[in-house]
Amino acid sequence: MEIRSTTLLPAVREDIELHTADGLTLVGELALPEGRPPVATLVTLHPLPPGGGFMDSHIIRKAAARLPALADLAVLRFNTRGTSSPRGTSEGAYDHGERERHDVDAAMAFVHERGLPHPWLVGWSFGTELALKYGARHEIEGAILLSPPLHRTSAEEVAAWDGNGKRLVALIPELDDYLRPPEARERFAAVSDIELIEVEGGKHLWVGENQTRRVLDEIVARVNPAVPLPLPTVYHLPD
């Protein structure tokens, strides 16, 4: 079976709810490898809700559709407060990245309660702001930033990642609408151990299978380096 944009590979998928400290219920999904425990966990944070970002934004949806089967990863995705998708609508209202700190906390509490191993935050655009602002206080292996705009993250919040024992990886598209590699090198200069990956020809929305595969390969390379790369483009269903 060729892996295409809409391909859904085998996994154990569960509709879940997250409960925030300020009394909201958020809706989401947990996808696990079928028949074996996950090696690591991706906690995904979607792009800007007023701009159409939600738990089904294509890179996040494809990570949940493919990576449990291809890389033995657990993938948690959810709608932040006030965000809707076919899964449902999370309670509350978009708060410009402020009260969303409770959403990140609730996701990490769920990971802890379920005993999910080696969690990584994977943020895309607005989701990178949440990862940078609120991720370092949690027990995570690190954070992977896809197209970070650095609109809401202060220089102090960025610098707090320097030497904090958590890995920070940033994928910077060459043709990004908000933050391109030369400026990214300056804005992240305070984090001496950051892994900054400049993606030639990349754009903020990572449109197309070539861009999707590049992003998923870079994620897997950090989170489960035992997996051969590039990830396959064909999946053989068990007999």
Side-chain angles (χ1 to χ4, degrees):
M1 175 176 62
E2 183 180 358
I3 298 173
R4 300 176 179 269
S5 175
T6 58
T7 300
L8 190 67
L9 296 181
V12 177
R13 296 186 166 87
E14 175 189 356
D15 288 341
I16 59 97
E17 293 183 345
L18 306 177
H19 302 284
T20 69
D22 58 344
L24 301 182
T25 297
L26 314 179
V27 299
E29 179 202 78
L30 176 65
L32 298 169
E34 229 177 23
R36 58 197 183 278
V39 169
T41 305
L42 305 182
V43 179
T44 61
L45 303 169
H46 60 68
L48 188 70
F54 61 153
M55 64 179 275
D56 288 331
S57 292
H58 82 99
I59 291 291
I60 292 173
R61 173 177 55 82
K62 292 168 186 173
R66 302 180 192 183
L67 297 186
L70 297 182
D72 291 339
L73 301 181
V75 181
L76 172 63
R77 58 194 179 114
F78 65 97
N79 289 326
T80 57
R81 59 189 54 218
T83 303
S84 297
S85 74
R87 164 70 182 92
T89 299
S90 290
E91 293 178 348
Y94 166 69
D95 195 43
H96 305 274
E98 295 301 320
R99 288 189 178 88
E100 282 85 357
R101 67 185 182 276
H102 298 307
D103 304 355
V104 177
D105 292 348
M108 295 310 305
F110 179 89
V111 167
H112 178 72
E113 290 162 6
R114 288 293 184 96
L116 297 170
H118 303 293
W120 286 73
L121 293 177
V122 178
W124 179 12
S125 193
F126 171 70
T128 69
E129 312 275 23
L130 302 184
L132 285 168
K133 291 168 75 69
Y134 310 124
R137 65 191 184 190
H138 292 286
E139 293 183 7
I140 58 173
E141 299 292 324
I144 299 173
L145 313 176
L146 312 177
S147 311
L150 294 183
H151 287 161
R152 297 168 181 81
T153 310
S154 69
E156 292 75 19
E157 287 169 330
V158 171
W161 285 81
D162 186 48
N164 69 359
K166 298 172 174 64
R167 292 177 63 185
L168 189 63
V169 180
L171 272 66
I172 310 296
E174 177 190 19
L175 305 175
D176 196 275
D177 298 314
Y178 306 107
L179 186 76
R180 295 188 176 188
E183 184 185 2
R185 288 193 293 270
E186 295 179 6
R187 298 284 302 275
F188 283 109
V191 187
S192 58
D193 52 353
I194 189 172
E195 187 177 0
L196 201 152
I197 302 164
E198 301 176 13
V199 181
E200 183 176 357
K203 296 184 179 181
H204 190 76
L205 297 179
W206 306 105
V207 174
E209 268 299 300
N210 287 339
Q211 291 293 304
T212 295
R213 289 171 180 159
R214 173 67 188 276
V215 170
L216 297 184
D217 281 354
E218 297 288 0
I219 291 170
V220 171
R222 276 83 197 165
V223 177
N224 187 4
V227 173
L229 296 175
L231 292 171
T233 59
V234 174
Y235 184 80
H236 299 286
L237 291 168
D239 296 330

